[in-house]
Amino acid sequence: MALLEVHQLSKSFNSTQAVKSISFSVDNGRCVTLLGPNGAGKTTTLRMLSGLLKPSQGSIHFTEMTKGEDLRRFIGYLPQYPMFYNWMSGQEYLVYVGQLALMHKRAANDRAIELLARVGLADAGRRRISGYSGGMRQRLGIAQAMMHNPKLVILDEPVSALDPIGRREVLDMMRDIKKETTILFSTHVLPDAEEISDDLLIMNEGQIVVAGSMKSVMDEYRQPIIRLRGETSLEVWQQSLSALEGIESVVCNGEYVELQVTDMTIGRSSLVKLLADQCIAIRKLEVAELSLEDIFMKAVNV
Ligand SMILES: Nc1ncnc2c1ncn2[C@@H]1O[C@H](COP(=O)(O)OP(=O)(O)OP(=O)(O)O)[C@@H](O)[C@H]1O
Ligand SMILES: [Mg+2]
């Protein structure tokens, strides 16, 4: 069931049309990734959804929201570049955020303790934020987005600035949050999106160019490929490779070759025959499928 429905949403900044009449929905209990190149309009979209930016046109509707209700009650938001009061402790900061969301101090205090434990900051909760690592700050940022028990948590690039350890910590946390809250997050780290999301939205130049469940998108774009690496450059063989039965197209880059295959059984055997007949020295031959990164590149026409 849809938790959130967005209809023909647009945003212009003077002459820049950052978001161009996008429509999509977010289903309850799903983890949705928003992808797109720099400047695609992701942050602008997420800021409109979180109530921080007024749309130029269009509507944002929570199915459980009654008319005139403030949508911020339904949403927790972690900005792309979160700012903290460094002189506060993690615990003080969460209580402060809770009180801004009109929680009573006592309830905010209890919730802060619960969330600090949940995001692995129980021991650091009384320390000043100025001493926190990047990963700890990001986890505190996610905790603050969860303070008022929102229906939807929006995270704008929660892992992009982190090292692999910090990234892993945040991903594990998101996996935990996902059990009870709907998540919409943007990222440039495609393997993370592939690992954690149920649904996918890809934006390009202010428009949504791909939308669907991760599985349906992967199925739609799924095309078998063969990757070859020669001992030396294979560019002289480009034409012969392109002419093989079962092969649709060939991209050759020095010793690296990628063949898009229409029929794997036929394509693979005609390729192996060519390699053997012409004594082409091969270092590696791999059968693969388009990754999310390949799909992303196709969707945004890179
Ligand atoms: N406050 C603003 N004033 C003017 N233009 C803006 C403003 N915010 C965003 N833009 C423009 O809107 C477009 C979309 O920007 P946005 O920040 O939404 O992209 P993004 O997909 O989040 O990019 P990134 O991956 O770099 O974070 C860009 O052309 C940007 O320059
Ligand atoms: Mg952004």
Side-chain angles (χ1 to χ4, degrees):
M1 196 188 85
L3 172 71
L4 169 72
E5 279 167 352
V6 172
H7 188 60
Q8 296 185 346
L9 191 67
S10 299
K11 181 70 192 178
S12 298
F13 300 103
N14 301 320
S15 59
T16 309
Q17 224 191 327
V19 174
K20 302 172 186 163
S21 193
I22 59 172
S23 300
F24 63 92
S25 58
V26 172
D27 282 350
N28 218 345
R30 307 289 280 183
C31 177
V32 185
T33 303
L34 177 60
L35 300 180
N38 292 128
K42 303 181 297 296
T43 295
T44 307
T45 302
L46 298 181
R47 292 188 70 216
M48 286 193 281
L49 296 184
S50 62
L52 291 172
L53 194 63
K54 198 169 179 300
S56 304
Q57 267 176 337
S59 66
I60 299 165
H61 181 69
F62 273 84
T63 42
E64 294 173 25
M65 189 164 74
T66 51
K67 204 166 166 23
E69 211 172 358
D70 189 336
L71 70 82
R72 283 174 291 190
R73 202 167 74 74
F74 291 83
I75 289 170
Y77 174 60
L78 174 68
Q80 186 166 0
Y81 305 107
M83 307 278 277
F84 298 102
Y85 295 114
N86 281 326
W87 45 270
M88 283 186 179
S89 70
Q91 165 84 21
E92 284 165 345
Y93 181 71
L94 291 186
V95 172
Y96 165 75
V97 169
Q99 288 189 289
L100 283 182
L102 305 179
M103 291 172 79
H104 289 299
K105 184 153 189 189
R106 196 176 176 152
N109 219 9
D110 291 349
R111 178 77 172 148
I113 291 169
E114 178 200 332
L115 282 173
L116 284 168
R118 190 130 172 232
V119 302
L121 293 174
D123 293 340
R126 303 229 161 259
R127 279 176 25 210
R128 284 182 183 218
I129 299 170
S130 54
Y132 283 17
S133 69
M136 290 164 82
R137 294 167 82 90
Q138 219 49 351
R139 281 184 281 141
L140 181 66
I142 296 178
Q144 69 68 35
M146 304 266 301
M147 269 305 278
H148 61 301
N149 258 316
K151 297 269 180 210
L152 174 68
V153 176
I154 295 178
L155 309 171
D156 196 355
E157 297 198 30
V159 296
S160 299
L162 300 180
D163 67 20
I165 299 166
R167 243 182 66 207
R168 181 49 49 199
E169 289 169 353
V170 168
L171 276 183
D172 288 345
M173 259 192 62
M174 287 170 64
R175 216 188 304 277
D176 178 43
I177 295 173
K178 192 177 139 167
K179 291 179 199 150
E180 64 195 59
T181 311
T182 309
I183 301 178
L184 171 62
F185 79 110
S186 70
T187 186
H188 289 294
V189 187
L190 301 185
D192 291 353
E194 211 168 337
E195 181 183 323
I196 198 167
S197 354
D198 305 305
D199 297 326
L200 185 65
L201 296 167
I202 303 183
M203 285 188 82
N204 191 31
E205 297 179 354
Q207 292 176 310
I208 290 186
V209 290
V210 171
S213 72
M214 188 65 88
K215 186 177 176 313
S216 68
V217 172
M218 296 299 261
D219 283 348
E220 186 186 333
Y221 280 82
R222 196 174 297 270
Q223 177 164 27
I225 51 180
I226 298 176
R227 293 201 181 95
L228 268 187
R229 186 174 172 199
E231 288 283 348
T232 55
S233 172
L234 296 174
E235 292 196 7
V236 289
W237 297 104
Q238 171 134 15
Q239 271 203 332
S240 316
L241 290 166
S242 304
L244 288 175
E245 208 184 337
I247 302 294
E248 184 177 305
S249 64
V250 176
V251 178
C252 211
N253 196 353
E255 69 227 54
Y256 295 92
V257 177
E258 193 167 292
L259 305 106
Q260 293 215 341
V261 182
T262 47
D263 183 315
M264 185 53 82
T265 312
I266 298 173
R268 183 166 36 194
S269 60
S270 62
L271 171 66
V272 170
K273 186 166 182 315
L274 174 79
L275 297 176
D277 289 351
Q278 301 297 328
C279 296
I280 303 171
I282 288 299
R283 194 173 282 207
K284 193 172 167 188
L285 187 156
E286 180 188 36
V287 173
E289 269 172 350
L290 288 186
S291 65
L292 183 57
E293 183 161 338
D294 300 315
I295 293 171
F296 176 83
M297 294 300 190
K298 273 191 165 199
V300 302
N301 291 318
V302 177

